[in-house]
Short mmCIF file of all heavy atoms in Angstrom, two decimals:
data_model
loop_
_atom_site.label_atom_id
_atom_site.label_comp_id
_atom_site.label_asym_id
_atom_site.label_seq_id
_atom_site.Cartn_x
_atom_site.Cartn_y
_atom_site.Cartn_z
N LYS B 989 13.66 -7.99 16.53
CA LYS B 989 13.22 -9.17 17.30
C LYS B 989 11.75 -9.11 17.67
O LYS B 989 11.07 -10.14 17.70
CB LYS B 989 14.10 -9.33 18.53
CG LYS B 989 15.55 -9.64 18.22
CD LYS B 989 16.36 -9.80 19.49
CE LYS B 989 17.82 -10.12 19.14
NZ LYS B 989 18.65 -10.30 20.38
N LYS B 990 11.25 -7.92 18.01
CA LYS B 990 9.86 -7.79 18.42
C LYS B 990 8.89 -8.09 17.29
O LYS B 990 7.72 -8.34 17.53
CB LYS B 990 9.60 -6.38 18.97
CG LYS B 990 10.38 -6.08 20.28
CD LYS B 990 10.05 -4.69 20.79
CE LYS B 990 10.77 -4.39 22.07
NZ LYS B 990 10.47 -3.03 22.57
N GLN B 991 9.41 -7.97 16.06
CA GLN B 991 8.54 -8.20 14.89
C GLN B 991 9.02 -9.43 14.09
O GLN B 991 8.89 -9.48 12.89
CB GLN B 991 8.58 -6.97 13.96
CG GLN B 991 8.09 -5.70 14.62
CD GLN B 991 6.59 -5.66 14.80
OE1 GLN B 991 5.90 -6.57 14.37
NE2 GLN B 991 6.07 -4.65 15.46
N SER B 992 9.57 -10.41 14.80
CA SER B 992 10.15 -11.58 14.13
C SER B 992 9.10 -12.37 13.34
O SER B 992 9.40 -12.94 12.29
CB SER B 992 10.82 -12.50 15.15
OG SER B 992 9.89 -12.90 16.16
N THR B 993 7.85 -12.38 13.84
CA THR B 993 6.80 -13.11 13.15
C THR B 993 6.53 -12.47 11.77
O THR B 993 6.38 -13.16 10.75
CB THR B 993 5.49 -13.12 13.96
OG1 THR B 993 5.75 -13.73 15.22
CG2 THR B 993 4.40 -13.87 13.22
N ILE B 994 6.47 -11.14 11.76
CA ILE B 994 6.24 -10.42 10.49
C ILE B 994 7.44 -10.62 9.56
O ILE B 994 7.30 -10.86 8.37
CB ILE B 994 5.99 -8.92 10.73
CG1 ILE B 994 4.69 -8.73 11.52
CG2 ILE B 994 5.92 -8.16 9.43
CD1 ILE B 994 4.36 -7.31 11.84
N SER B 995 8.65 -10.53 10.14
CA SER B 995 9.85 -10.71 9.31
C SER B 995 9.87 -12.05 8.65
O SER B 995 10.22 -12.19 7.46
CB SER B 995 11.10 -10.53 10.21
OG SER B 995 11.22 -9.21 10.69
N SER B 996 9.48 -13.11 9.40
CA SER B 996 9.48 -14.46 8.81
C SER B 996 8.44 -14.57 7.71
O SER B 996 8.64 -15.23 6.70
CB SER B 996 9.15 -15.46 9.93
OG SER B 996 10.14 -15.46 10.92
N ALA B 997 7.30 -13.89 7.90
CA ALA B 997 6.22 -13.96 6.92
C ALA B 997 6.60 -13.29 5.59
O ALA B 997 6.08 -13.69 4.54
CB ALA B 997 4.95 -13.30 7.49
N VAL B 998 7.46 -12.29 5.64
CA VAL B 998 7.79 -11.55 4.42
C VAL B 998 9.17 -11.95 3.84
O VAL B 998 9.56 -11.44 2.80
CB VAL B 998 7.79 -10.03 4.63
CG1 VAL B 998 6.43 -9.55 5.15
CG2 VAL B 998 8.89 -9.58 5.60
N ALA B 999 9.86 -12.85 4.52
CA ALA B 999 11.23 -13.20 4.11
C ALA B 999 11.30 -13.66 2.65
O ALA B 999 12.25 -13.33 1.95
CB ALA B 999 11.79 -14.27 5.04
N GLN B 1000 10.31 -14.40 2.21
CA GLN B 1000 10.31 -14.92 0.85
C GLN B 1000 9.31 -14.22 -0.05
O GLN B 1000 9.03 -14.66 -1.14
CB GLN B 1000 9.99 -16.41 0.85
CG GLN B 1000 10.95 -17.25 1.72
CD GLN B 1000 12.38 -17.13 1.26
OE1 GLN B 1000 12.67 -17.09 0.05
NE2 GLN B 1000 13.32 -17.08 2.21
N HIS B 1001 8.74 -13.10 0.42
CA HIS B 1001 7.74 -12.39 -0.35
C HIS B 1001 8.37 -11.75 -1.62
O HIS B 1001 9.48 -11.24 -1.56
CB HIS B 1001 7.09 -11.29 0.50
CG HIS B 1001 5.79 -10.80 -0.04
ND1 HIS B 1001 5.72 -9.90 -1.10
CD2 HIS B 1001 4.51 -11.08 0.31
CE1 HIS B 1001 4.47 -9.64 -1.36
NE2 HIS B 1001 3.70 -10.35 -0.52
#
Side-chain angles (χ1 to χ4, degrees):
K989 294 181 180 180
K990 293 181 180 180
Q991 300 286 356
S992 59
T993 301
I994 296 179
S995 294
S996 298
V998 302
Q1000 303 301 321
H1001 197 282

